[in-house]
Amino acid sequence: GLGNLISGGNGTGVDLEGPNSDNNQIVGNLIGTGIGGAVDLGNALSGIVIVGGSNNTIGGATLGARNVISGNNQKGIEISGAVAVGNAVRGNYIGTDVTGMFDLGNTEHGIQVVFASSTQIGGTNAGEGNLTSGNDQFGITLNQTPSATIQGNFIGTDKNGTGNVANSSNGVFLDVGVNNTAIGGTPAGAGNT
């Protein structure tokens, strides 16, 4: 594939910052693992950070678009800033090895969203849900985050949703000021495991 190995760095693996960091795609990479996706070679900070950027996509619904974001020494993914609108996180393995079966957790949360609005984590279509498991704190946490959608994800399980690959703390944690957020839903595929 065309993906990169982005591991072992002294900072963040992929860092998009500023008002012009919009409309990017981060797909098909190993971020924080060894070349086989099975050992911890984490970046010193987070795997992916978006600060202020909008309409970025991390991952996708196809196997080739999936990122494995594991072993990093802070968060797997962090999206922050009030002007960060409409970012999507889909189809990734966050905190497991490349097989989606074994713990290779990030040291803090799998996904953290702060202030950013209209963030989509997972989705209802086949392949859009993330696997967010094995992380050393929360699977997903939102803080002062309006209008997020969390659908179709496996949180604290293996890729099949049948085995235990627990996050060390809460699966989903909503902190101060979170509103208009949908966790699951009635459409087919909207529920999280």
Side-chain angles (χ1 to χ4, degrees), residues 30 33 40 56 61 67 73 89 100 108 115 118 189 193:
L30 298 173
T33 76
D40 183 335
N56 296 291
N67 300 288
N73 292 319
V89 181
E108 296 182 12
F115 296 115
S118 301
T193 300

Side-chain angles (χ1 to χ4, degrees), residues 3-193:
N4 301 286
L5 176 67
I6 306 171
S7 300
N10 291 327
T12 296
V14 178
D15 195 352
L16 301 179
E17 294 201 25
N20 295 319
S21 55
D22 301 334
N23 303 306
N24 299 289
Q25 295 184 3
I26 303 170
V27 295
N29 304 289
L30 298 173
I31 303 175
T33 76
I35 196 165
V39 299
D40 183 335
L41 194 61
N43 295 288
L45 300 179
S46 296
I48 299 174
V49 171
I50 297 174
V51 180
S54 295
N55 301 312
N56 296 291
T57 301
I58 300 171
T62 66
L63 177 62
R66 175 186 300 145
N67 300 288
V68 178
I69 308 161
S70 301
N72 298 288
N73 292 319
Q74 290 186 358
K75 290 98 178 165
I77 299 171
E78 181 178 356
I79 301 172
S80 64
V83 296
V85 178
N87 294 290
V89 181
R90 296 193 176 105
N92 303 286
Y93 286 0
I94 305 163
T96 72
D97 73 335
V98 70
T99 70
M101 299 300 289
F102 299 104
D103 185 331
L104 198 63
N106 298 288
T107 302
E108 296 182 12
H109 314 307
I111 302 172
Q112 179 175 7
V113 182
V114 183
F115 296 115
S117 62
S118 301
T119 303
Q120 299 176 15
I121 300 173
T124 59
N125 297 317
E128 289 185 336
N130 301 282
L131 174 63
T132 308
S133 300
N135 298 289
D136 294 349
Q137 294 184 12
F138 307 139
I140 300 170
T141 179
L142 309 182
N143 186 304
Q144 300 192 46
T145 302
S147 305
T149 303
I150 301 172
Q151 294 179 326
N153 303 287
F154 284 178
I155 304 167
T157 74
D158 63 23
K159 69 175 182 180
N160 301 315
T162 57
N164 180 15
V165 187
N167 298 292
S168 296
S169 189
N170 299 310
V172 178
F173 182 72
L174 306 184
D175 207 347
V176 176
V178 177
N179 57 69
N180 298 317
T181 288
I183 301 174
T186 56
N192 300 285
T193 300

